[in-house]
C-alpha cells in the first residue's frame, strides 16, 4: 500500500488539471458547429445585429430604426447591466446560415418607399441621414464581431468591427467616407446604399483536436451596392450601384441580398481568434514610448523625493533632534562635536517652525472628508477592475463586463468610503456625524446621477438606443439607496467608533502668521503646476481611451493601462510630496486642501484635453451630440478629480506624519 499511495496522488493531480483545462471565463466558452446538429454541436449559425453608431454623432440608434430587414421571429439575448448602460441593443436578424452551406446572392427582403406616403418618406429620410453621417452596422457571429477588412496606405490591412450602411457623393462631386472605395460612385448629389454583403466565415476543424465539430475563428464581410433591377434574376457580381438621389421625388425600392462562403483555417486557434482584429491596430510602439516617457518622469520625481528624504530631511532631523539646552550638536568632518546656537538651526529650515500649526484642522473639513471618502471608493473600484481586466475576465469578448464590474464594485465599496470619511472628519474635530455620512453617501453620486439623468433625457427625446430604460434607472437607484447607502452608514459607524488619528505633535492655540510667499509657493501657482507631471504620464493612454469611447474603436490594452495606472499613482504621490515640502519650508502650513487640489488639478488638464480632442479629432455635429459629449466628459472629470486628489492627499498625509513624528518637540 505504501508504494501505491504516491501513484494515487498522481492520478488525483492529473484529474484536477484535466478538469481545469475545461474551464473558460464566463461568457467565453467555445461553441462547436457541424453540418448535422447534435447535442454538443450546432448546425445553424445565427447573425445578430447591434446598435448603429457614427463618429459624427454621439447618438446611436437601434437596428430597427433604419427600416432594415427584420427577423420574423425576433429575439433579444439577455443583456447585462454594462451592455444596457453602454447602449448596446442586440437582436436577431434574418441572416441565418447552415454550417458549410455556401450561398450566393440570396435575397433577404425588399424595402419600398413611396413618394406619396409620408411615413415612407420619413423612413427614407432617416436612412439618408444615416448614410450622410456615416452610421456603421455592427454584426455579431458566435459572439465575435463581423469585420470589414480593407487595404490602407503602405499595404497595411485594417479590420474595422463595423461597416457603413451607405455613403454620399456631395453636390461638389466629393466622395465622402466609403464612397472612395469604388470609382463607380461618381454621380453628384447621390447616396449609394450598401445593400449586399459578401460574408466569409473561417473555421478551425476539430478533426485533429480533442473536440468534436468545428469552431468559428473569423468572420469578415465586404459591403457592396447593386441596383437589382430584376428581383427574379439577381446578379451580385456586376451591375450598377444602388443610387438614391438626395432630392429623390420618385418611388425607391431597395433589395437586400447576401452571399456567404466557408473557409477552413488551421493556423488560427479559437483562443486567439480576436488577434486578426487587434493586429490591425498597431499601437504597441506608441504605448511603449508612452510608458518610457512616464517612467522618466517617475525616476526624476523619485530622485527628487529621495534627495529630500535621504539628504535634506535626514540631515535636518538629525541635527534638530540633537538640540540640548539651547545648543545644537553637529558632527564635523573630523568627527568632533561642535555646537551651534538653536536659533540658527531653527532658521535653516522653515518646516520645523510650523510644527505647532501643521496639524491644525482645515477649513471646510466636512467637504474634504466627504471627497476623500468618495475618492477612496473610486480608487479601490478602479484598482480591482483594472486588475481583473489584466487577468482577462473583462476582455472585449465578454461584452459589458467592464462596466458591470465597475458599477457593482462601486456599490459594494460603500463601507470604505464611510469609514475613511468618518475617521478623517473626527480627526478634524467635526461633530455633525449625520451630515457627514449623508453627504458621503449622496453628494458626489448625486451629482453624477443628476448629470447622467439629464443626458438620458436628451437621448430619450432624440430616440437614441443609448437611452437607459426606466426599469434600469430604478434598478440603479435601488442599488444605490438599498446597498451602497447602508454600507456607507456601516463604514461610518466603525469610523466614528474608533478614536481620532493621533497627531505626532501638539497644535498651538494661536495660529502662526504665514510670511509673504513668493510666486511659486502661493496656492494657485503651486496647484496649477502640480497637475502637469501626472497628466504628462497619461495623456497618450488617454487618447486611446477617448478613441474607444467616442470613435468606437476597440480598446484591449489593459496591461498597458494598469501599468500607466500604477505610474499615475506614483507620480501624483511624489509631485504632491515635493510641493508640500516646498510649501512647508516656506512656512505655509495650509497643506490639507492644497495636497488634495494639487494632484486633483490633473482633472482640469483632462478636461482641457477633452475639449481639444473634441475640436481637433472628432467630426461631431449637432447641438444634442455636443451637449452629450461635454455632459459625459464632466462625469469623467469629476471621478478623476476625486481619484487623483485622494491619492495626493494620503501621500502628503503620510509624508507630513513621517517627518514630524521623528522630530522631538517640547
Amino acid at each position: 500500500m505504501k508504494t501505491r499511495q504516491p501513484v494515487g496522488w498522481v492520478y488525483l493531480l492529473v484529474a484536477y488539471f484535466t478538469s481545469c483545462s475545461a474551464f473558460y471565463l464566463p461568457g467565453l466558452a467555445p461553441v462547436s458547429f457541424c453540418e448535422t446538429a447534435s447535442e454538443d454541436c450546432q448546425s445553424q449559425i445565427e447573425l445578430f445585429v447591434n446598435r448603429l453608431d457614427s463618429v459624427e454623432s454621439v447618438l446611436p440608434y437601434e437596428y430597427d430604426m433604419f427600416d432594415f430587414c427584420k427577423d420574423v421571429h425576433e429575439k433579444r439575448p439577455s443583456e447585462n447591466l454594462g451592455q444596457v448602460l453602454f447602449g448596446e441593443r442586440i437582436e436577431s436578424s434574418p441572416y441565418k446560415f447552415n454550417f458549410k452551406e455556401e450561398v450566393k446572392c440570396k435575397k433577404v427582403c425588399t424595402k419600398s418607399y413611396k413618394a406619396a406616403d409620408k411615413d415612407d418618406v420619413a423612413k427614407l429620410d432617416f436612412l439618408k441621414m444615416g448614410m450622410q453621417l456615416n452610421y456603421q452596422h455592427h454584426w455579431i457571429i458566435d459572439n465575435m464581431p463581423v469585420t470589414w477588412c480593407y487595404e490602407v496606405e503602405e499595404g497595411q490591412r485594417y479590420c474595422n468591427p463595423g461597416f457603413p450602411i451607405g455613403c454620399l457623393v456631395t453636390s461638389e462631386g466629393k466622395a465622402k467616407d466609403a464612397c472612395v472605395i469604388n470609382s463607380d460612385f461618381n454621380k453628384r448629389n447621390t447616396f449609394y446604399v450598401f445593400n449586399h454583403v459578401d460574408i466569409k466565415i473561417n473555421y478551425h476543424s476539430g478533426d485533429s483536436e480533442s473536440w468534436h465539430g468545428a469552431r468559428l475563428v473569423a468572420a469578415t464581410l465586404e459591403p457592396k451596392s447593386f441596383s437589382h433591377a430584376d428581383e427574379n434574376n439577381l446578379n451580385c457580381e456586376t451591375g450598377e450601384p444602388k443610387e438614391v438621389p438626395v432630392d429623390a421625388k420618385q418611388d425607391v425600392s431597395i433589395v437586400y441580398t447576401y452571399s456567404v462562403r466557408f473557409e477552413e483555417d488551421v493556423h488560427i486557434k479559437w483562443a486567439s481568434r480576436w488577434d486578426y482584429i487587434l493586429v490591425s491596430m498597431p499601437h504597441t510602439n506608441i504605448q511603449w514610448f508612452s510608458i518610457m516617457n512616464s517612467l522618466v518622469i517617475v525616476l526624476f520625481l523619485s530622485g527628487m523625493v529621495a534627495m529630500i528624504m535621504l539628504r535634506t530631511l535626514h540631515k535636518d532631523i538629525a541635527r534638530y533632534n540633537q538640540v540640548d539646552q539651547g545648543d545644537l550638536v553637529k558632527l564635523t568632518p573630523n568627527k568632533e562635536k561642535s555646537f551651534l546656537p538653536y536659533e540658527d538651526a531653527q532658521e535653516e529650515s522653515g518646516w520645523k517652525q510650523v510644527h505647532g500649526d501643521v496639524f491644525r484642522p482645515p477649513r471646510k473639513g466636512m467637504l474634504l472628508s466627504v471627497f476623500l471618502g468618495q475618492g477612496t471608493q473610486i480608487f479601490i473600484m478602479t484598482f480591482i477592475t483594472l486588475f481583473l481586466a489584466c487577468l482577462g475576465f473583462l476582455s472585449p469578448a465578454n461584452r459589458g463586463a467592464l462596466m458591470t464590474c465597475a458599477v457593482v464594485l462601486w456599490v459594494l465599496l460603500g463601507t470604505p468610503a464611510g469609514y475613511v470619511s468618518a475617521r478623517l472628519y473626527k480627526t478634524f474635530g467635526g461633530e455633525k456625524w449625520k451630515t457627514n455620512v449623508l453627504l458621503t453617501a449622496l453628494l458626489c453620486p448625486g451629482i453624477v446621477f443628476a448629470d447622467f439623468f439629464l443626458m438620458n433625457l436628451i437621448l430619450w427625446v432624440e430616440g437614441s438606443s443609448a437611452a437607459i430604460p426606466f426599469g434600469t434607472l430604478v434598478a440603479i437607484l435601488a442599488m444605490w439607496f438599498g446597498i451602497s447607502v447602508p454600507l456607507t452608514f456601516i463604514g461610518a459607524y466603525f469610523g466614528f467608533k474608533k478614536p481620532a488619528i493621533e497627531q505626532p505633535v501638539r497644535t498651538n492655540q494661536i495660529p502662526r502668521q504665514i510670511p509673504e510667499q513668493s510666486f511659486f509657493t502661493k496656492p494657485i501657482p503651486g496647484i496649477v503646476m502640480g497637475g502637469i507631471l501626472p497628466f504628462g504620464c497619461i495623456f497618450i493612454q488617454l487618447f486611446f481611451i477617448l478613441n474607444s469611447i467616442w470613435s468606437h474603436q476597440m480598446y484591449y490594452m489593459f496591461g498597458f493601462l494598469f501599468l500607466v495606472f500604477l505610474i499615475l499613482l506614483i507620480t501624483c504621490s511624489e509631485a504632491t510630496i515635493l510641493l508640500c515640502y516646498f510649501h512647508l519650508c516656506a512656512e505655509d502650513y495650509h497643506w490639507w486642501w492644497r495636497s488634495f487640489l494639487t494632484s486633483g488639478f490633473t482633472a482640469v488638464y483632462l478636461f482641457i484635453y477633452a475639449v481639444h480632442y473634441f475640436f481637433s479629432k472628432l467630426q461631431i455635429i449637432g447641438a444634442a451630440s455636443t451637449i452629450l459629449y461635454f455632459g459625459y466628459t464632466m462625469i469623467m472629470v469629476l471621478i478623476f478629480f476625486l481619484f487623483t486628489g485622494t491619492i495626493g492627499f494620503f501621500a502628503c498625509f503620510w509624508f507630513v506624519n513621517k517627518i514630524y513624528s521623528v522630530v522631538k518637540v517640547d
Side-chain angles (χ1 to χ4, degrees):
M1 293 296 294
K2 291 182 180 179
T3 57
R4 293 183 180 181
Q5 190 173 6
V7 178
W9 282 108
V10 170
Y11 281 129
L12 287 175
L13 289 173
V14 170
Y16 171 76
F17 286 110
T18 304
S19 64
C20 288
S21 65
F23 173 77
Y24 293 96
L25 299 179
L28 302 180
V31 178
S32 296
F33 292 90
C34 303
E35 296 181 63
T36 303
S38 60
E39 291 184 0
D40 59 344
C41 204
Q42 299 181 14
S43 61
Q44 188 179 63
I45 302 174
E46 288 193 84
L47 189 149
F48 289 88
V49 293
N50 204 343
R51 66 176 188 177
L52 286 84
D53 51 38
S54 168
V55 295
E56 299 182 24
S57 175
V58 178
L59 302 169
Y61 291 101
E62 288 193 44
Y63 178 82
D64 293 342
M65 288 288 290
F66 290 93
D67 194 38
F68 295 126
C69 300
K70 297 181 181 180
D71 190 9
V72 178
H73 305 288
E74 186 176 296
K75 60 181 180 180
R76 293 177 179 267
S78 58
E79 297 171 339
N80 56 42
L81 179 61
Q83 289 178 287
V84 176
L85 292 178
F86 271 127
E88 291 196 11
R89 300 294 183 265
I90 301 175
E91 59 185 87
S92 60
S93 75
Y95 298 87
K96 304 181 189 299
F97 329 115
N98 293 321
F99 182 67
K100 284 190 177 181
E101 183 181 315
E102 297 195 356
V103 176
K104 290 186 177 180
C105 203
K106 183 176 181 179
K107 175 184 172 181
V108 184
C109 72
T110 302
K111 291 292 181 178
S112 299
Y113 305 94
K114 296 182 179 179
D117 192 323
K118 292 183 178 180
D119 291 338
D120 287 350
V121 172
K123 292 178 182 178
L124 186 60
D125 288 342
F126 195 82
L127 182 64
K128 292 178 183 178
M129 181 275 296
M131 290 186 283
Q132 184 174 1
L133 296 180
N134 194 28
Y135 270 83
Q136 306 270 319
H137 282 285
H138 293 281
W139 290 1
I140 303 168
I141 289 180
D142 191 28
N143 197 37
M144 183 174 51
V146 183
T147 58
W148 175 33
C149 297
Y150 52 89
E151 299 290 334
V152 292
E153 50 193 34
E154 298 182 358
Q156 185 180 352
R157 187 173 175 81
Y158 180 78
C159 291
N160 186 11
F163 66 96
I165 62 179
C167 59
L168 169 67
V169 177
T170 64
S171 56
E172 293 82 16
K174 180 182 178 181
K176 290 185 61 181
D177 305 316
C179 279
V180 299
I181 65 175
N182 194 333
S183 59
D184 293 335
F185 299 165
N186 52 22
K187 187 176 292 187
R188 297 188 176 190
N189 219 24
T190 303
F191 290 103
Y192 291 91
V193 184
F194 290 122
N195 58 336
H196 174 82
V197 287
D198 284 332
I199 304 173
K200 184 179 75 169
I201 300 176
N202 296 73
Y203 63 92
H204 186 101
S205 177
D207 295 340
S208 59
E209 305 287 346
S210 59
W211 35 268
H212 175 61
R215 293 175 180 174
L216 308 186
V217 294
T220 58
L221 59 76
E222 183 180 357
K224 295 181 179 180
S225 179
F226 295 106
S227 60
H228 294 310
D230 185 4
E231 294 186 22
N232 299 321
N233 186 19
L234 297 174
N235 182 7
C236 300
E237 298 294 333
T238 59
E240 295 294 325
K242 181 59 184 178
E243 301 175 356
V244 179
V246 172
D247 53 353
K249 296 182 180 179
Q250 65 272 18
D251 296 347
V252 176
S253 179
I254 304 176
V255 181
Y256 290 93
T257 57
Y258 74 92
S259 300
V260 61
R261 60 189 178 93
F262 293 84
E263 186 176 302
E264 184 176 1
D265 194 328
V266 296
H267 303 291
I268 304 177
K269 301 292 185 181
W270 183 88
S272 58
R273 63 179 186 166
W274 285 68
D275 289 357
Y276 80 98
I277 305 173
L278 307 181
V279 156
S280 64
M281 306 176 187
H283 303 316
T284 307
N285 294 334
I286 300 176
Q287 293 287 346
W288 280 117
F289 171 77
S290 172
I291 298 296
M292 295 304 298
N293 177 54
S294 302
L295 287 176
V296 169
I297 296 176
V298 168
L299 290 175
F300 169 74
L301 290 175
S302 300
M304 293 286 290
V305 173
M307 182 180 67
I308 292 174
M309 295 293 290
L310 298 179
R311 296 183 60 184
T312 308
L313 285 179
H314 180 74
K315 179 181 176 182
D316 287 345
I317 292 171
R319 297 175 66 189
Y320 188 63
N321 288 336
Q322 292 172 7
V323 174
D324 186 17
Q325 297 179 355
D327 293 328
L328 178 68
V329 181
K330 178 183 179 181
L331 291 177
T332 63
N334 297 328
K335 297 184 179 181
E336 297 178 355
K337 289 185 178 181
S338 62
F339 297 88
L340 293 176
Y342 175 58
E343 291 79 6
D344 295 342
Q346 270 193 318
E347 293 176 359
E348 288 183 354
S349 294
W351 66 270
K352 304 189 202 102
Q353 302 184 39
V354 296
H355 64 81
D357 297 276
V358 73
F359 290 104
R360 188 176 302 281
R363 298 175 182 175
K364 307 293 182 182
M366 169 84 77
L367 184 61
L368 180 59
S369 63
V370 169
F371 282 172
L372 292 171
Q374 280 294 316
T376 304
Q377 188 176 9
I378 294 170
F379 167 74
I380 301 174
M381 175 201 73
T382 306
F383 180 84
I384 297 176
T385 302
L386 291 180
F387 182 73
L388 292 176
C390 286
L391 297 180
F393 285 93
L394 309 178
S395 68
N398 203 354
R399 302 173 185 278
L402 185 70
M403 191 66 176
T404 303
C405 178
V407 172
V408 172
L409 283 174
W410 182 86
V411 170
L412 297 178
L413 289 171
T415 301
Y419 178 83
V420 170
S421 178
R423 192 82 193 280
L424 288 172
Y425 182 62
K426 189 173 183 178
T427 302
F428 296 157
E431 297 179 353
K432 300 178 181 179
W433 65 271
K434 294 180 181 178
T435 306
N436 175 262
V437 178
L438 288 174
L439 287 177
T440 304
L442 302 177
L443 178 61
C444 296
I447 295 173
V448 172
F449 185 81
D451 189 333
F452 181 77
F453 184 76
L454 290 176
M455 298 303 104
N456 197 61
L457 282 180
I458 296 175
L459 291 169
W460 176 73
V461 171
E462 295 290 334
S464 173
S465 65
I468 308 301
F470 180 75
T472 305
L473 287 177
V474 173
I476 293 174
L477 288 174
M479 293 170 64
W480 178 15
F481 288 101
I483 302 176
S484 180
V485 173
L487 288 177
T488 305
F489 272 84
I490 293 174
Y493 169 78
F494 288 104
F496 280 112
K497 191 176 181 180
K498 282 198 169 187
I501 301 173
E502 186 178 355
Q503 311 295 357
V505 291
R506 295 192 304 269
T507 302
N508 297 333
Q509 292 184 354
I510 302 176
R512 178 187 178 91
Q513 185 176 1
I514 299 174
E516 184 69 23
Q517 299 291 304
S518 65
F519 175 79
F520 294 103
T521 56
K522 288 182 179 180
I524 294 180
I527 291 172
V528 171
M529 289 187 297
I532 294 177
L533 291 179
F535 178 76
C537 296
I538 65 167
F539 81 96
I540 294 181
Q541 194 70 225
L542 184 62
F543 171 77
F544 295 113
I545 294 175
L546 292 179
N547 272 348
S548 67
I549 297 174
W550 303 113
S551 297
H552 313 294
Q553 296 185 10
M554 197 169 297
Y555 189 89
Y556 62 95
M557 296 171 287
F558 293 107
F560 284 115
L561 184 60
F562 187 70
L563 186 57
V564 171
F565 170 79
L566 297 178
I567 292 174
L568 177 64
L569 295 184
I570 299 172
T571 310
C572 284
S573 303
E574 293 180 342
T576 308
I577 288 173
L578 279 174
L579 291 172
C580 180
Y581 174 72
F582 294 151
H583 293 141
L584 291 176
C585 287
E587 302 180 28
D588 186 353
Y589 51 83
H590 294 308
W591 64 273
W592 298 97
W593 270 107
R594 187 174 296 177
S595 62
F596 183 87
L597 296 175
T598 297
S599 54
F601 201 80
T602 310
V604 177
Y605 291 108
L606 168 63
F607 178 75
I608 295 173
Y609 184 80
V611 174
H612 164 74
Y613 181 85
F614 177 82
F615 288 105
S616 64
K617 303 296 182 182
L618 296 182
Q619 306 168 2
I620 291 177
I621 57 176
S625 294
T626 303
I627 295 173
L628 287 169
Y629 177 86
F630 286 103
Y632 287 127
T633 299
M634 292 308 299
I635 295 177
M636 295 169 53
V637 169
L638 175 61
I639 294 174
F640 196 71
F641 170 72
L642 296 173
F643 167 70
T644 53
T646 301
I647 296 170
F649 175 86
F650 282 112
C652 198
F653 185 79
W654 168 85
F655 173 75
V656 173
N657 276 270
K658 187 73 174 176
I659 63 174
Y660 284 99
S661 62
V662 295
V663 174
K664 299 176 183 177
V665 180
D666 295 331

